[in-house]
Amino acid sequence: MKVLFIRSAAAIAVATAFALPPALQAATPKDTLVVAWAIDDIITMDPGESFEISAGEIMGNAYDRLIRYDVNDPSKLIPDIAKSWSVSAGGKMYSFELKPGLKFASGNPLTAEDVVFSLQRAVILDKSPAFILTQFGFNKDNVKDKIKQTGPLTLTMETDKNYAPSFVYNCLTANIASIIDKKLVLSKEVNGDLGYGWLKTNYAGSGPLKLREWRANEIVALERNDNYYGEKSKLARVIYRHVKEAATQRLLLEKGDVDIARNLSPQDLAALATNKDIKTTATPKGTVYYFSLNQKNPILAKPEVREAFKWLVDYSAIGDTLIKNIGIVHQNFLPIGLLGASTENPYKLDVDKAKALLAKAGYPNGFKVTLDMRTVQPVQGITEAFQQTAKRAGIEIEILPGDGKQTLTKYRARQHDVYVGQWGADYWDPHTNADTFARNPDNSDNAKSKPLAWRNAWDIPELTKKADAAVLERDANKRKAMYEEMQADFRKTSPFVMLYQQIETAALRADVQGLKIGPTSDATYMFKVSK
């Protein structure tokens, strides 16, 4: 892939979509979909490292996996590049056969060798999302013995325990299991990095759309992959334009400068309701928002302080205004829709109760903390509202604003006091959230696994044991009860103040057809959209 071509293709698309003066531009090009979205959280385009919400959508459109879940029924698995799959009677050996005649966007053939390389590479690189695979006992030393090619189009994967097969398969729908072009990536290898340096900003996939350019905090440009094995993208290109302000997104949409707006506020959505040129679509997402308290801060580590924070959020006001039509108040780590998800919401704004808890903790006059916040709505509005209610109990919160990359990088390094974040399910199984909110097998600074519990230095050996047991339980009813019990413990004791579950609502021009927001970030398929 030539860099000059990458630049020119994206430049032409962007110039066509954006460069004309507003007065001269009636609509976006017919073969181009332009999306206004806050994409400042993207850190890399390497599926072996990518672990952000916005990047997840790019991965879902640009890379294939062995299998996917059905977006209309996430409990069902459907083939992607795999023709068939099975598990041995012993429950540890998984076998896959690929569809014949597959190609990457580069033109290179896609075989079992590429699948094995991709999964092994993800384990060997051991970046943030690698735990989705390493939880099955894979590591740098054994992965080449555990994941093997058995023929041109066949491979096997041997897990360390007898997991529920549905759990294993669901993990293989995650972005970390994306298939990359071994020949292309290794041609870009530097000092044995498995192409890691190059793939941060380049592309080596086989999906229906191919990455042409990513400019951080500006655009992501995707184009149709004519080598894709399935139904080709209906549009020649999809351009994501980074626009953080909801009001600006709405203005661009009303003028026809963009086709879809993704971060509109409840007020913007209400204002568009009577516009005959605009329609909306919405899907409850497997995404939850929360405040989290770093347990390395001795004040925030006190149980009474953790609980006090949960009584200082005006959930009702947030639900009625800031997240109206784009979310529902939800105080549990499992989003509704996953097995065992709880709908219990025991907390409400109660300043007196919070004050009593703070006094019991030894802070009758409150204290000062900082809060790291990504400057997007409704996160900013919720944070500022919380700052005011916390002040009524004597807690002075200094808000530290930043873009997605800045705040997330600091959070991942455990350098925050309080952080406001979002977590999207990586695959459609309850362990995806239990594994990060309620499991922390090693709380040391140099731990291999760094889930959200670790990021907040929450040492939970007993809850970790419960999560480990739940993922091995094959009886669905028993497993459901185990997750309900875990969530009850979590609500009471955790350093997480769970806020709401997202209902992602997109506003779009009337001529846009076929847009369906997926339940997870990697399942909103822009290649199925037409104009």
Side-chain angles (χ1 to χ4, degrees), residues 35-292:
V35 184
W37 201 21
I39 55 172
D40 58 317
D41 59 329
I42 300 177
I43 294 173
T44 177
M45 286 296 174
D46 186 339
E49 183 179 29
S50 175
F51 208 39
E52 294 74 47
I53 298 289
S54 302
E57 183 165 316
I58 309 304
M59 299 296 120
N61 283 277
Y63 283 89
D64 289 323
R65 307 104 210 274
L66 287 165
I67 51 182
R68 293 183 188 251
Y69 69 76
D70 185 341
V71 293
N72 296 310
D73 182 356
S75 66
K76 294 181 180 178
L77 295 170
I78 57 175
D80 198 358
I81 65 167
K83 177 181 177 182
S84 63
W85 55 91
S86 61
V87 60
S88 66
K92 295 183 180 180
M93 186 67 74
Y94 291 79
S95 300
F96 300 88
E97 181 181 359
L98 306 188
K99 296 172 181 175
L102 301 174
K103 287 184 179 181
F104 286 102
S106 67
N108 292 332
L110 192 167
T111 70
E113 182 179 1
D114 297 287
V115 178
V116 168
F117 169 76
S118 301
L119 298 176
Q120 290 178 351
R121 177 182 182 270
V123 171
I124 292 168
L125 288 179
D126 200 21
K127 300 301 179 180
S128 294
F131 72 89
I132 297 172
L133 297 177
T134 58
Q135 65 186 329
F136 298 120
F138 307 136
N139 57 51
K140 296 177 183 179
D141 297 325
N142 71 15
V143 69
K144 291 185 177 180
D145 294 324
K146 298 296 183 181
I147 303 177
K148 293 181 178 180
Q149 181 181 1
T150 55
L153 297 177
T154 57
L155 65 136
T156 58
M157 185 178 81
E158 184 183 2
T159 61
D160 61 337
K161 296 177 183 177
N162 189 2
Y163 299 96
S166 60
F167 169 57
V168 177
Y169 290 137
N170 279 321
C171 287
L172 291 177
T173 70
N175 284 322
I176 189 68
S178 297
I179 312 307
I180 64 174
D181 187 335
K182 178 181 178 181
K183 182 178 180 181
L184 176 59
V185 167
L186 289 186
S187 74
K188 307 297 183 180
E189 187 176 37
V190 176
N191 298 325
D193 72 345
L194 299 175
Y196 170 70
W198 178 80
L199 201 51
K200 268 183 173 291
T201 55
N202 287 281
Y203 175 65
S206 60
L209 292 168
K210 55 187 177 182
L211 176 69
R212 281 304 182 191
E213 184 171 20
W214 163 47
R215 295 205 304 268
N217 292 7
E218 290 186 47
I219 68 154
V220 174
L222 304 176
E223 289 185 354
R224 182 192 294 124
N225 173 18
D226 289 323
N227 282 330
Y228 182 58
Y229 76 89
E231 182 183 354
K232 304 296 189 290
S233 172
K234 299 181 187 305
L235 294 162
R237 63 187 60 83
V238 177
I239 306 293
Y240 291 89
R241 181 180 176 185
H242 175 56
V243 183
K244 291 184 75 169
E245 297 79 15
T248 305
Q249 287 193 16
R250 173 186 157 195
L251 179 62
L252 291 170
L253 183 67
E254 289 176 318
K255 290 168 61 180
D257 291 346
V258 303
D259 299 299
I260 303 173
R262 298 285 291 276
N263 301 102
L264 296 182
S265 70
Q267 293 77 16
D268 291 309
L269 290 169
L272 291 172
T274 58
N275 188 329
K276 61 181 176 55
D277 296 323
I278 307 296
K279 57 186 178 181
T280 60
T281 184
T283 297
K285 299 278 283 190
T287 300
V288 292
Y289 285 73
Y290 62 88
F291 291 121
S292 63

